[in-house]
Amino acid sequence: MPTQLSQHFSLEEFIRSDTAQAMGEPNLPTPEHRKNLEILADHMEKVRDLFGVPVLITSGYRNPKINAAVGGVPNSDHAVGLAADFHVDGIDDLHAARKIRDSTLNFDQLILERGRCVHMSFVSKMRRQVLRQPGGPGSTVFDGLE
């Protein structure tokens, strides 16, 4: 049975990683990172409420080895359990990102990773920074969605 972090999100969906499975590397959070994942799940519940449909997590927590293996920056919010990559069920990523940007939701970063996902992080800064990364992981990041 899944370990629920919130009403609609389980620990398992935030730590699942094809890269970790391929490496044979457990992707288990520290107790501190587990608490951060509860905070992340609470924020993702607000995203789900905004749309009224399921939010499908594609990447959540990444331990340092997994984060490095997928090309994540060393200070990635994924590595501390405060970021998620996702799709909103039945909604194009650009439209989802626009609706989040135009909402009153509190977040640190919203990044449209073109052709890949929507990324949101929820560290204490809560800058409401909106960015796009049209070239995929490791490519240049630009201000705004358009």
Side-chain angles (χ1 to χ4, degrees), residues 78-97:
H78 285 281
V80 294
L82 288 171
D85 297 342
F86 61 93
H87 301 286
V88 178
D89 192 31
I91 299 175
D92 172 82
D93 287 342
L94 175 58
H95 289 94

Side-chain angles (χ1 to χ4, degrees), residues 62-76 78-79:
R62 303 179 196 145
N63 74 34
K65 282 185 181 178
I66 303 307
N67 190 55
V70 300
V73 295
N75 63 341
S76 170
H78 285 281

Side-chain angles (χ1 to χ4, degrees), residues 23-100:
M23 293 172 60
E25 175 70 31
N27 190 37
L28 300 175
T30 66
E32 177 185 353
H33 295 161
R34 169 75 160 70
K35 287 179 186 173
N36 287 347
L37 287 168
E38 292 173 10
I39 293 167
L40 177 61
D42 286 342
H43 283 289
M44 295 308 296
E45 287 289 347
K46 293 172 186 163
V47 173
R48 189 182 195 283
D49 289 346
L50 178 67
F51 292 96
V53 297
V55 172
L56 313 167
I57 305 299
T58 60
S59 182
Y61 176 72
R62 303 179 196 145
N63 74 34
K65 282 185 181 178
I66 303 307
N67 190 55
V70 300
V73 295
N75 63 341
S76 170
D77 294 328
H78 285 281
V80 294
L82 288 171
D85 297 342
F86 61 93
H87 301 286
V88 178
D89 192 31
I91 299 175
D92 172 82
D93 287 342
L94 175 58
H95 289 94
R98 283 179 178 153
K99 186 167 182 170
I100 294 165

